[in-house]
Amino acid sequence: MLSRCRPTSPAGVTSVGAAAASAAAFEMAEEETAYAYTEGQATLRSSAHRAVYSKTRKDDPGPRVVVGALPSRLRDTAVFGVDGPALRALRAAVVNLLDRAGADVGSWPASASASSSSERDLEDFVVPAASLKDLRGSARGKKFPRGPANATLAELVVQDAAFLAAFDALIDDAILPNLRSRLAACGVSLDVAEETSAKDAVGASGGTMRRRRVGYVQRPPTLRIQPGPSTRYVRPHSDDEYGHQDGEINFWMPFTSSQRTRTTLWVESERGREDYAETGVDAGECAAFHGTSKRHMVPANESACTRVSLDFRIGVEGFYDPKWVMRGTKADHDRREVSL
């Protein structure tokens, strides 16, 4: 099958400043590139999570955690392989989901639409430029602040049982084994002690029992679609701005080739350094990083291909408070509890 976008070498963001790090390269190429996306949002995303100003936030006591801050080694950025049957099933579920998304979200060219889902390239998915228009502040934006295409995508992800089942399988088969290994390497026990009472422990007068530490997986994950060629990108940010906790670890997983989209995740080494480095994560891999403290970004997609990726977070019991929500947070993420 012929692709609408050609394989190409990645366009490196060579400076280590903030958002302007990549802007110069975009301006230099502007005369040669006919950009299809120059206004509105950089991506469609399936999450409605956001944070708005709240006067009471200054009085927010913050999360209550038992252990404290995550070990420094867990904050390091790491890339690991996830390729296998679970990933292939999840990719197929994403293709099938986008097939049903409708014209507002996008479609494949006629030549690709005739192919089976396993042969279809997500890089060839086309998003209408009008669907990226930001409606915040408009009358229609009261119902769809980020536009109806984002709302459609969010509804599809929440309701797609096959997609969610495939995501759960990937978590169990590929993500959790890696997280358990990293926790153990940092000296974090996968078991925790829990006080019991006579009512809880049959035949016992109370005491301590051991159980597995709990992980809190963001579910559903956020599906992002970044079309190109575009000048648009999301500013560098850290997720504490949006109410995420220190006890969470971010996971970012592309379904598309960075060689073709020339986009990938960039993360700074420490909070506030702005020394952004390319993670190098590609299709078949996942990047784990501490997005709550480290600012991160994905540069504008200059290619004619579309980037499709999935991201989510896992909170670690003892370091994460499942009951806390930052004041002003809207549409907070649901969580699935898993054993670590």
Side-chain angles (χ1 to χ4, degrees), residues 48 50 133-148 151 330:
R50 63 191 190 281
K133 185 177 180 180
D134 195 328
L135 298 180
R136 284 173 290 189
S138 68
R140 197 180 184 196
K142 292 180 180 179
K143 184 175 181 180
F144 304 114
R146 292 180 58 86
K330 304 292 183 182

Side-chain angles (χ1 to χ4, degrees), residues 84 220 226 247 292:
Q226 182 187 13
T292 302

Side-chain angles (χ1 to χ4, degrees), residues 77-98:
T77 301
V79 175
F80 59 98
V82 293
D83 199 11
L87 178 63
R88 290 190 286 274
L90 182 56
R91 183 195 178 282
V94 170
V95 171
N96 290 333
L97 183 152
L98 293 180

Side-chain angles (χ1 to χ4, degrees), residues 202 213 265:
V202 177
R213 190 180 296 275
L265 175 68

